[in-house]
């Protein structure tokens, strides 16, 4: 493939919901939000996607496919210790594989774009996004690793390698085995975006319907202090608000119900020099 230019990186401004096969459901949604909401004044963090083709190129250029297939050939969810050994070796192979030079150049070029936009000290969230992430019959959300508060070029490239390697976490392999997915039919994209400093304020999750009943005329908002991972992992009891869409759209008071959570703990950044926080 020498002499052939391969385009591995796409800015959020060029990504939409139709790009799931290339960048995964998570990143496709981020791109759609950036493209549609940023122009009307909603502050969506900018970023870029490292495509699934980049993941495949890492395996191609380092000739990893045969060894990975050999490792996973006899994996069984019934033998947890053996699966963990195979998974660890698979992750090590991918995490230590050199990234193609053209991929490194493209990542660094987009990183410089973010530095010009947000400043030289911009911190990043580096998030895994599997191409089979949210299917009608299965959800891969939470199976792979993401990394917060990444600072600098070298840390970014290392986080990208670790995201690629996390396609082979114990839980991801076991999930694919249990649901009948081919390990090599799923690829991994990576979203790189400006880190939002919710550790010094608050974070939350908004659902476009009532998650308990499926009622579509409300927006359910859960919120807590600090980083959102505490909320996602169920570590805190959040504040909760129900917003009624019809009255909101008509310009009237729209909060149907509001409850105050205990929020007994708060997730913040680790001290400088510590290992980066990892999202499960």
């Amino acid at each position: 493939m020498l002499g052939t230019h391969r385009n591995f990186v796409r800015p959020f401004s060029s990504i939409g919901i139709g790009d799931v096969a290339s960048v995964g459901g998570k990143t496709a949604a981020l791109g759609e939000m950036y493209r549609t909401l940023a122009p009307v004044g909603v502050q969506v963090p900018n970023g870029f996607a490292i495509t699934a083709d980049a993941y495949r190129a890492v395996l191609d250029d380092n000739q990893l496919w045969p060894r990975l297939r050999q490792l996973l050939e006899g994996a069984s969810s019934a033998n947890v210790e053996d699966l963990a050994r195979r998974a660890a070796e698979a992750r090590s192979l991918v995490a230590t594989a050199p990234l193609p030079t053209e991929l490194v150049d493209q990542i660094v070029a987009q990183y410089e774009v973010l530095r010009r936009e947000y400043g030289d000290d911009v911190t990043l969230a580096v998030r895994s996004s599997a191409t089979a992430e949210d299917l009608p019959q299965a959800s891969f959300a939470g199976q792979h690793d993401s990394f917060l508060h990444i600072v600098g070029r070298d840390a970014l490239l290392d986080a990208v390698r670790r995201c690629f390697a996390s396609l082979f976490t114990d839980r991801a392999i076991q999930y694919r085995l249990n649901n009948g997915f081919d390990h090599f039919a799923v690829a991994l994209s990576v979203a790189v975006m400006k880190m939002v400093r919710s550790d010094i304020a608050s974070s939350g999750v908004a659902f476009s319907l009532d998650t308990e009943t499926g009622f579509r005329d409300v927006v359910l908002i859960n919120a807590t202090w600090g980083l959102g991972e505490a909320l996602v992992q169920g570590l805190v009891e959040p504040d909760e608000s129900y917003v009624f869409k019809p009255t909101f759209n008509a310009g009237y008071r729209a909060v149907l119900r509001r409850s105050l959570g205990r929020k007994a703990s708060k997730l913040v950044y680790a001290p400088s020099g510590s290992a980066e926080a990892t999202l499960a």
Side-chain angles (χ1 to χ4, degrees), residues 1-111:
M1 302 183 74
L2 293 178
T4 301
H5 175 72
R6 297 176 288 181
N7 186 16
F8 294 133
V9 173
R10 297 178 59 184
F12 280 179
S13 59
S14 72
I15 296 169
I17 204 64
D19 294 308
V20 173
S22 175
V23 301
K26 181 188 299 179
T27 310
L30 283 168
E32 186 77 16
M33 289 173 61
Y34 184 82
R35 288 173 57 189
T36 58
L37 298 180
V40 296
V42 179
Q43 294 185 17
V44 180
N46 196 7
F48 59 92
I50 301 166
T51 66
D53 283 341
Y55 161 79
R56 297 185 186 100
V58 171
L59 270 57
D60 285 341
D61 289 10
N62 291 281
Q63 301 179 339
L64 295 182
W65 296 102
R67 180 56 184 148
L68 289 171
R69 290 184 185 278
Q70 182 184 38
L71 276 172
L72 298 183
E73 182 69 28
S76 168
S77 57
N79 190 336
V80 176
E81 290 185 3
D82 180 66
L83 187 148
R85 178 189 61 79
R86 293 170 184 268
E89 186 171 344
R91 288 195 302 275
S92 178
L93 286 172
V94 179
T96 58
L99 301 177
T101 300
E102 58 198 311
L103 173 58
V104 172
D105 291 343
Q106 291 173 35
I107 292 172
V108 171
Q110 285 298 316
Y111 170 56

Side-chain angles (χ1 to χ4, degrees), residues 56-210:
R56 297 185 186 100
V58 171
L59 270 57
D60 285 341
D61 289 10
N62 291 281
Q63 301 179 339
L64 295 182
W65 296 102
R67 180 56 184 148
L68 289 171
R69 290 184 185 278
Q70 182 184 38
L71 276 172
L72 298 183
E73 182 69 28
S76 168
S77 57
N79 190 336
V80 176
E81 290 185 3
D82 180 66
L83 187 148
R85 178 189 61 79
R86 293 170 184 268
E89 186 171 344
R91 288 195 302 275
S92 178
L93 286 172
V94 179
T96 58
L99 301 177
T101 300
E102 58 198 311
L103 173 58
V104 172
D105 291 343
Q106 291 173 35
I107 292 172
V108 171
Q110 285 298 316
Y111 170 56
E112 291 301 323
V113 170
L114 294 182
R115 289 183 68 196
R116 288 194 294 272
E117 182 174 355
Y118 295 114
D120 290 343
D121 59 349
V122 61
T123 60
L124 304 170
V126 183
R127 309 180 64 190
S128 295
S129 181
T131 55
E133 193 122 59
D134 293 301
L135 301 175
Q137 70 274 28
S139 173
F140 285 79
Q143 302 298 321
H144 312 109
D145 291 341
S146 297
F147 302 90
L148 300 180
H149 194 40
I150 299 300
V151 181
R153 171 187 180 276
D154 291 342
L156 169 58
L157 295 173
D158 180 60
V160 170
R161 284 191 294 268
R162 289 194 283 166
C163 281
F164 285 154
S166 74
L167 197 64
F168 302 102
T169 61
D170 299 14
R171 60 185 178 272
I173 293 172
Q174 191 163 53
Y175 188 82
R176 292 193 296 267
L177 287 171
N178 292 342
N179 288 276
F181 283 91
D182 182 345
H183 298 296
F184 301 100
V186 180
L188 200 116
S189 169
V190 179
V192 179
M193 61 191 298
K194 179 188 181 296
M195 183 76 202
V196 177
R197 289 300 306 270
S198 59
D199 63 306
I200 56 178
S202 60
S203 58
V205 179
F207 301 92
S208 60
L209 49 69
D210 184 345

